């Protein structure tokens, strides 16, 4: 493999196991990490690096269409979760 492909493969990862969500259905895990990311950013600020953990997990678990929809709802003030 070429060097650029190998560097991309090494950067790929999936969400680690979370004992709060032991079942195959990871919808709640997706939702919780999305909400946790925005809560963390609200409390700690946009530059706080540990918040990115939640972002990486929800990006790994959540369909892009859900994330886009939730982000639009946040911007419009119609998001169902408490952030």
């Amino acid at each position: 493999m070429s060097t650029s492909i190998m560097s991309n493969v090494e950067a790929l990862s999936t969400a680690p196991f979370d004992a709060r969500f032991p079942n195959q259905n990871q919808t709640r895990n997706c939702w919780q990490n999305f909400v946790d990311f925005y809560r963390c950013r609200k409390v700690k600020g946009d530059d706080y690096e540990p918040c990115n953990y939640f972002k990486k997990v929800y990006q790994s678990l959540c369909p892009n269409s859900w994330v886009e929809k939730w982000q639009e709802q946040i911007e419009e003030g119609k998001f169902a979760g408490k952030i």
Side-chain angles (χ1 to χ4, degrees):
M1 286 188 180
S2 70
T3 309
S4 63
I5 294 173
M6 288 301 292
S7 63
N8 288 339
V9 171
E10 291 173 8
L12 295 176
S13 66
T14 188
F17 177 74
D18 189 339
R20 298 176 297 169
F21 310 102
N23 302 319
Q24 264 186 319
N25 186 344
Q26 293 294 299
T27 303
R28 293 183 68 204
N29 193 355
C30 159
W31 168 265
Q32 189 62 53
N33 280 286
F34 181 83
V35 171
D36 287 345
F37 171 70
Y38 281 94
R39 285 179 184 164
C40 183
R41 273 190 28 188
K42 182 178 179 181
V43 171
K44 298 290 187 174
D46 293 338
D47 298 330
Y48 190 63
E49 186 64 29
C51 292
N52 289 331
Y53 168 78
F54 299 116
K55 184 176 184 176
K56 289 177 185 175
V57 173
Y58 86 69
Q59 286 178 332
S60 174
L61 293 173
C62 301
N64 291 334
S65 61
W66 292 5
V67 172
E68 291 169 6
K69 181 176 136 186
W70 293 338
Q71 288 171 340
E72 288 174 11
Q73 290 174 347
I74 289 172
E75 291 172 5
E76 297 170 356
K78 298 178 181 178
F79 186 66
K82 183 180 177 187
I83 295 179

